[in-house]
């Protein structure tokens, strides 16, 4: 069994005022094991991107605990500890257009972390490292001198991936990295992420709303709804044996490649059900967890 790289316990992220809070993330708990990909899936506004940004410290969390390699990262105070954490954990952002500075070349974007962390001060070594990173994501070393507007969306996202890899991280949060790309390019980027994971022993938190793509890349899947994780388990298990009504609804919306099957596909609508004080994640099958009250779990099984 792989070691736990990330442990999230009762993560809570509220916005707004104290009297009228917006519960973006409402007390969720999960673990991510070294070398795996955990897919975090749900509709827009469910809190999945906020979860990723809270983990990587882009937000100060409202409550809960995030342990990375056993250390509470939100209690990290010293400049040295913050820098060490930033080298270990990186993020790939959703929008490849907005996440790249248009005034910087691809080489400058990728090497920005070098300057912050005092790496590769020798010009020749720096140039070779940039070239190696570009080639590792399927681009050419000549691309280092081009600006963002000279690249396609898929190429820009590859530059974003190279930037995330520049400090040799162990853990990468991919925040909907393919949602802004054409369908024909999405599979290329996902296959690249899988290839890099194998080569560099990376661990991913892969955030998306497309369950079929999440299933393809993920070892386990966590389904999120209204700030809660409502189902968590192995990817194949979640895909073929969904238990929570919301997960069933999400899966029913996945388009089918066969026109005849697509024509008769039945969409399952989801109607929100309130829960009582007994609501929690229940282990209904080995390593398969479902959120609900005792009575709800009984009725779904």
């Amino acid at each position: 069994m792989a070691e736990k790289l990330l442990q999230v316990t009762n993560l809570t992220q509220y916005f707004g005022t104290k009297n009228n809070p917006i519960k973006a993330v409402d007390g969720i708990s999960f673990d991510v094991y070294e070398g795996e990909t955990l897919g975090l899936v749900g509709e827009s506004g469910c809190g999945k991107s906020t979860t990723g940004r809270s983990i990587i410290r882009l937000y100060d969390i409202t409550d809960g605990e995030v342990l990375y390699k056993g250390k509470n990262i939100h209690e990290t105070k010293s400049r040295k500890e913050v820098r060490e954490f930033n080298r270990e954990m990186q993020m790939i952002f959703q929008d490849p257009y907005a996440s790249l500075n248009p005034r910087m070349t691809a080489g400058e974007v990728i090497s920005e972390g070098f300057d912050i962390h005092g790496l590769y001060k020798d010009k020749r070594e720096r140039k070779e490292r940039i070239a190696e990173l570009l080639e590792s994501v399927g681009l050419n070393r000549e691309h280092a001198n081009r600006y963002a507007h000279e690249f396609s969306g898929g190429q820009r996202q590859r530059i974003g991936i190279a930037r995330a890899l520049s400090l040799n991280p162990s853990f990468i949060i991919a925040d909907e990295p393919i949602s802004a790309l054409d369908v024909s390019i999405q599979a290329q980027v996902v296959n690249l992420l899988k290839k890099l994971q194998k080569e560099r022993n990376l661990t991913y938190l892969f955030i998306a709303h497309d369950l079929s793509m999440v299933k393809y890349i993920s070892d386990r899947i966590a389904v999120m709804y209204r700030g809660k994780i409502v189902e968590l388990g192995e990817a194949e298990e979640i895909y073929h044996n969904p238990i929570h009504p919301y997960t069933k609804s999400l899966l029913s919306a996945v388009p089918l490649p066969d026109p005849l099957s697509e024509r008769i596909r039945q969409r399952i609508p989801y109607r929100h059900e309130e829960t009582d004080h007994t609501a929690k994640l229940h282990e209904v099958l080995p390593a398969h967890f479902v959120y609900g009250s005792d009575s709800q779990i009984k009725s779904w099984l």
Side-chain angles (χ1 to χ4, degrees), residues 28-39:
I28 64 172
S29 300
F30 61 89
D31 300 322
V32 184
Y33 294 89
E34 188 175 354
E36 80 162 343
T37 298
L38 176 67

PDB file of all heavy atoms in Angstrom, residues 28-39:
ATOM      1  N   ILE A  28     -14.953  18.718   4.279  1.00  0.00           N
ATOM      2  CA  ILE A  28     -14.663  17.482   3.539  1.00  0.00           C
ATOM      3  C   ILE A  28     -13.354  16.850   4.016  1.00  0.00           C
ATOM      4  O   ILE A  28     -12.456  17.532   4.503  1.00  0.00           O
ATOM      5  CB  ILE A  28     -14.602  17.723   2.017  1.00  0.00           C
ATOM      6  CG1 ILE A  28     -13.435  18.664   1.651  1.00  0.00           C
ATOM      7  CG2 ILE A  28     -15.915  18.284   1.509  1.00  0.00           C
ATOM      8  CD1 ILE A  28     -13.200  18.784   0.160  1.00  0.00           C
ATOM      9  N   SER A  29     -13.277  15.537   3.867  1.00  0.00           N
ATOM     10  CA  SER A  29     -12.075  14.792   4.266  1.00  0.00           C
ATOM     11  C   SER A  29     -11.740  13.752   3.199  1.00  0.00           C
ATOM     12  O   SER A  29     -12.637  13.067   2.699  1.00  0.00           O
ATOM     13  CB  SER A  29     -12.290  14.084   5.614  1.00  0.00           C
ATOM     14  OG  SER A  29     -12.582  15.010   6.641  1.00  0.00           O
ATOM     15  N   PHE A  30     -10.467  13.658   2.858  1.00  0.00           N
ATOM     16  CA  PHE A  30     -10.001  12.623   1.931  1.00  0.00           C
ATOM     17  C   PHE A  30      -8.483  12.542   2.000  1.00  0.00           C
ATOM     18  O   PHE A  30      -7.823  13.435   2.528  1.00  0.00           O
ATOM     19  CB  PHE A  30     -10.454  12.907   0.483  1.00  0.00           C
ATOM     20  CG  PHE A  30      -9.931  14.195  -0.101  1.00  0.00           C
ATOM     21  CD1 PHE A  30      -8.715  14.247  -0.777  1.00  0.00           C
ATOM     22  CD2 PHE A  30     -10.671  15.368   0.013  1.00  0.00           C
ATOM     23  CE1 PHE A  30      -8.229  15.426  -1.307  1.00  0.00           C
ATOM     24  CE2 PHE A  30     -10.202  16.555  -0.529  1.00  0.00           C
ATOM     25  CZ  PHE A  30      -8.976  16.584  -1.188  1.00  0.00           C
ATOM     26  N   ASP A  31      -7.947  11.448   1.482  1.00  0.00           N
ATOM     27  CA  ASP A  31      -6.499  11.247   1.420  1.00  0.00           C
ATOM     28  C   ASP A  31      -6.086  11.073  -0.035  1.00  0.00           C
ATOM     29  O   ASP A  31      -6.874  10.618  -0.875  1.00  0.00           O
ATOM     30  CB  ASP A  31      -6.080   9.990   2.194  1.00  0.00           C
ATOM     31  CG  ASP A  31      -6.465  10.056   3.666  1.00  0.00           C
ATOM     32  OD1 ASP A  31      -6.367  11.148   4.257  1.00  0.00           O
ATOM     33  OD2 ASP A  31      -6.875   9.009   4.220  1.00  0.00           O
ATOM     34  N   VAL A  32      -4.851  11.430  -0.334  1.00  0.00           N
ATOM     35  CA  VAL A  32      -4.263  11.163  -1.646  1.00  0.00           C
ATOM     36  C   VAL A  32      -2.973  10.391  -1.412  1.00  0.00           C
ATOM     37  O   VAL A  32      -2.122  10.819  -0.627  1.00  0.00           O
ATOM     38  CB  VAL A  32      -3.970  12.462  -2.430  1.00  0.00           C
ATOM     39  CG1 VAL A  32      -3.446  12.115  -3.821  1.00  0.00           C
ATOM     40  CG2 VAL A  32      -5.216  13.337  -2.541  1.00  0.00           C
ATOM     41  N   TYR A  33      -2.843   9.236  -2.079  1.00  0.00           N
ATOM     42  CA  TYR A  33      -1.692   8.368  -1.872  1.00  0.00           C
ATOM     43  C   TYR A  33      -0.598   8.643  -2.903  1.00  0.00           C
ATOM     44  O   TYR A  33      -0.878   9.043  -4.038  1.00  0.00           O
ATOM     45  CB  TYR A  33      -2.118   6.899  -1.944  1.00  0.00           C
ATOM     46  CG  TYR A  33      -3.041   6.500  -0.816  1.00  0.00           C
ATOM     47  CD1 TYR A  33      -4.429   6.646  -0.946  1.00  0.00           C
ATOM     48  CD2 TYR A  33      -2.533   5.999   0.385  1.00  0.00           C
ATOM     49  CE1 TYR A  33      -5.279   6.294   0.103  1.00  0.00           C
ATOM     50  CE2 TYR A  33      -3.372   5.642   1.431  1.00  0.00           C
ATOM     51  CZ  TYR A  33      -4.744   5.797   1.282  1.00  0.00           C
ATOM     52  OH  TYR A  33      -5.573   5.456   2.319  1.00  0.00           O
ATOM     53  N   GLU A  34       0.625   8.418  -2.490  1.00  0.00           N
ATOM     54  CA  GLU A  34       1.776   8.693  -3.347  1.00  0.00           C
ATOM     55  C   GLU A  34       1.678   7.915  -4.656  1.00  0.00           C
ATOM     56  O   GLU A  34       1.440   6.713  -4.677  1.00  0.00           O
ATOM     57  CB  GLU A  34       3.071   8.311  -2.611  1.00  0.00           C
ATOM     58  CG  GLU A  34       4.329   8.725  -3.341  1.00  0.00           C
ATOM     59  CD  GLU A  34       5.582   8.454  -2.534  1.00  0.00           C
ATOM     60  OE1 GLU A  34       5.477   8.051  -1.355  1.00  0.00           O
ATOM     61  OE2 GLU A  34       6.678   8.639  -3.090  1.00  0.00           O
ATOM     62  N   GLY A  35       1.846   8.636  -5.771  1.00  0.00           N
ATOM     63  CA  GLY A  35       1.859   8.014  -7.092  1.00  0.00           C
ATOM     64  C   GLY A  35       0.502   7.833  -7.741  1.00  0.00           C
ATOM     65  O   GLY A  35       0.417   7.399  -8.894  1.00  0.00           O
ATOM     66  N   GLU A  36      -0.574   8.164  -7.047  1.00  0.00           N
ATOM     67  CA  GLU A  36      -1.912   7.967  -7.611  1.00  0.00           C
ATOM     68  C   GLU A  36      -2.470   9.268  -8.188  1.00  0.00           C
ATOM     69  O   GLU A  36      -1.929  10.361  -7.985  1.00  0.00           O
ATOM     70  CB  GLU A  36      -2.881   7.415  -6.561  1.00  0.00           C
ATOM     71  CG  GLU A  36      -3.448   8.443  -5.615  1.00  0.00           C
ATOM     72  CD  GLU A  36      -4.708   7.989  -4.876  1.00  0.00           C
ATOM     73  OE1 GLU A  36      -5.352   7.015  -5.305  1.00  0.00           O
ATOM     74  OE2 GLU A  36      -5.043   8.619  -3.866  1.00  0.00           O
ATOM     75  N   THR A  37      -3.588   9.131  -8.897  1.00  0.00           N
ATOM     76  CA  THR A  37      -4.364  10.274  -9.333  1.00  0.00           C
ATOM     77  C   THR A  37      -5.741  10.174  -8.697  1.00  0.00           C
ATOM     78  O   THR A  37      -6.458   9.195  -8.910  1.00  0.00           O
ATOM     79  CB  THR A  37      -4.520  10.305 -10.869  1.00  0.00           C
ATOM     80  OG1 THR A  37      -3.234  10.437 -11.473  1.00  0.00           O
ATOM     81  CG2 THR A  37      -5.400  11.485 -11.306  1.00  0.00           C
ATOM     82  N   LEU A  38      -6.083  11.185  -7.893  1.00  0.00           N
ATOM     83  CA  LEU A  38      -7.430  11.270  -7.344  1.00  0.00           C
ATOM     84  C   LEU A  38      -8.197  12.287  -8.175  1.00  0.00           C
ATOM     85  O   LEU A  38      -7.803  13.457  -8.267  1.00  0.00           O
ATOM     86  CB  LEU A  38      -7.402  11.710  -5.877  1.00  0.00           C
ATOM     87  CG  LEU A  38      -8.791  11.921  -5.247  1.00  0.00           C
ATOM     88  CD1 LEU A  38      -9.546  10.600  -5.117  1.00  0.00           C
ATOM     89  CD2 LEU A  38      -8.684  12.596  -3.876  1.00  0.00           C
ATOM     90  N   GLY A  39      -9.272  11.843  -8.803  1.00  0.00           N
ATOM     91  CA  GLY A  39     -10.107  12.736  -9.583  1.00  0.00           C
ATOM     92  C   GLY A  39     -11.175  13.365  -8.702  1.00  0.00           C
ATOM     93  O   GLY A  39     -11.856  12.662  -7.962  1.00  0.00           O
TER      94      GLY A  39
END
